[in-house]
Amino acid sequence: MKATFWLLAILLAGSAWAAELPVRQVVLYKHGVGYFQRSGELRPGESAQLDFRADEMNDVLKSLTIQESGTGSVTGLRYDSSEPLEKKLAEFPFRLGEGQPLAAVLDQLKGAQMELKFASETVTGRLLGARVIPRTEQRPETEQVSLLLDSGEFRNLDLTAAASIRFVDATLQAQFQEYLAALHAARSRDKKSVYIDSTGSQAREVVASYMVPMPVWKSSYRLLFGATGEPLLEGWAIVDNTTGEDWNSVQLSLVSGRPISFISRLYEPRYLTRPVAELPEDRAQGPIVYGGAIEEEAKTNEPVRADEGRALGGGVVGGIMGAAPPPAARMMAEAVARPAAPSAIAATAAGQELGELFEYSFSTPVTVRKNESAMLPFLQQKVTARKLLIYSDPSSVNPLDSVEITNSTGKTLDGGPITVYDANAYAGEALVETLKKDDKRLISYGVALGTRVTTALESGGQIVREAHFRRGVLTARTAAVETKTYTINNVDAEPKTLLIEHPIRSDYKVLNQKPAETTATAYRFEVKLGPRATEKFPVTEERVFETTTAITNLNPDLLVSYIQNRTLPDEARTQLGQILDRK
């Protein structure tokens, strides 16, 4: 009972040294990261522990910031090392191999003082070696150790018969414990901890902020058309909590946009191969051999010495690690009033611009348990939209039921799937790109079986528009004219609006129609269709190109065709007539 009391006292004393910093705020982005803010009270001498996965540590070390209020200061940050296991184990004087017998381990520690306890005696001595005795027909496989006792006696002992084995050297015993602890830590490599140490005489509030990899939050929409009035657009956000920790009543924000983000390897230790640089060694003086004189006037030879060594250059390797954390997205306190919506859950997210980004902040706290996901309504608002038909696929007879959406919500609408409901019935689905405020998009959600479109292409031949003479060369600008006629048959008893997407062709110019708008690849022509009516919509285009011909090569037939072309100026036709007369 007394031992239990002391154990409980030790546990309670130890828990007083660990401060909790629960998650208070979460901001999820669209490029695979999440911003987390933790806060809590840190008392004098306490340390706060933040746990992360190993694959999160690079982003944590790049973005972690610590803020605190009150006297004293945070004295430092510590975190679990990620030194490679092989490099850690290489520091020990022994290795534990896979399936290695105990005798093979002990044989690496020759000279170590050992104590072996048997049933009838305890033997202490220095290790001479250990080996495995193979199995024979008469005896099974055994392990044997050889010791030099303090008395000078050599003894061979059976390891398998020993009740316990102990190293007398406490340092060696501790090395075995450290070795096994390193192996265990390698198996639980997914969990790494950052420790915030503090000193001071008063408690204070500590705020820790950082970025870690997170699943991208997703958005989906419902567009609901009623009998009259503007349709209602309803937006839902899908968030996934994969952190392994509950988010209890956190301030949640969702940011639409694509800021630049990357991974920098800050967690793994880096090792560089350094050059070996040493000063030349001082060598012993060798004998000097002098040459004999041939003539008195001749100079004697210089003494011959051993080669001098060359000094090698060295270098200094250094590095600086730093990071500028991203700013925290601020939360908005007031909820935005929303009109009534078919969904029973009302959206309580307020939106605000963050430079090129847009943030939806939920005004009420959000709870998402670990390894769970949640659907949160972030938009319920009337939107400007009109129904129309789009014809853009010439291989299809029917256009598509479509909606032209103008983002009149005053917020950025994140891209995602959109389900269309018309008169309380499912009408179809579409995908919508991210829409900035006041931007406009077309979406198609079904095939319009009540409208048929056929096309016919007619070529009007080539018409010479201009002719120029210069230094015996005739340059003619010729136009190739084509007309594509769209025949539209509306079999329904209601009027419709059709949007024709006519492909843009390089070097071609539209002559008879003015597009309602132009995209990078198509002209969009708007055609009004009456009930049970057939409309024809011709689009005439021309392509102008130049031809050059030497006057000496002009034949009479070609000249006659130019002269008969009423689109040419009279002066040009007169000059061509003079050339024809000479021909």
Side-chain angles (χ1 to χ4, degrees), residues 385-558:
R386 64 168 180 151
K387 296 179 184 178
L388 44 77
L389 307 179
I390 297 179
Y391 181 79
S392 58
D393 183 6
S395 64
S396 175
V397 176
N398 302 107
L400 298 178
D401 287 319
S402 307
V403 176
E404 182 186 71
I405 299 177
T406 300
N407 183 7
S408 55
T409 64
K411 307 175 180 65
T412 296
L413 300 180
D414 187 67
I418 181 168
T419 302
V420 180
Y421 292 90
D422 194 355
N424 295 324
Y426 169 80
E429 301 170 3
L431 282 173
V432 61
E433 296 178 331
T434 297
L435 277 176
K436 301 291 284 186
K437 182 177 65 173
D438 298 327
D439 199 359
K440 183 173 64 176
R441 284 293 188 279
L442 294 170
I443 64 169
S444 299
Y445 57 89
V447 178
L449 299 178
T451 306
R452 294 188 293 271
V453 181
T454 59
T455 60
L457 184 64
E458 179 184 355
S459 177
Q462 297 181 357
I463 303 175
V464 178
R465 295 287 173 82
E466 296 180 13
H468 303 277
F469 296 98
R470 182 178 178 83
R471 295 181 180 180
V473 176
L474 172 65
T475 301
R477 298 187 75 244
T478 305
V481 180
E482 292 182 358
T483 299
K484 188 173 185 178
T485 302
Y486 295 87
T487 302
I488 308 136
N489 183 16
N490 178 20
V491 301
D492 289 334
E494 59 181 18
K496 299 178 181 178
T497 299
L498 175 68
L499 206 61
I500 297 176
E501 285 200 333
H502 185 82
I504 295 177
R505 296 187 292 174
S506 60
D507 300 331
Y508 276 83
K509 179 182 179 181
V510 177
L511 300 179
N512 65 331
Q513 303 289 356
K514 183 178 180 181
E517 59 186 18
T518 303
T519 70
T521 59
Y523 301 109
R524 286 177 176 166
F525 300 104
E526 191 168 305
V527 183
K528 299 296 184 180
L529 304 177
R532 293 193 176 95
T534 299
E535 300 285 345
K536 290 185 178 294
F537 189 83
V539 179
T540 302
E541 297 175 286
E542 71 169 7
R543 179 173 67 91
V544 178
F545 57 92
E546 292 185 352
T547 59
T548 58
T549 309
I551 295 179
T552 56
N553 296 332
L554 289 174
N555 59 63
D557 293 336
L558 182 60

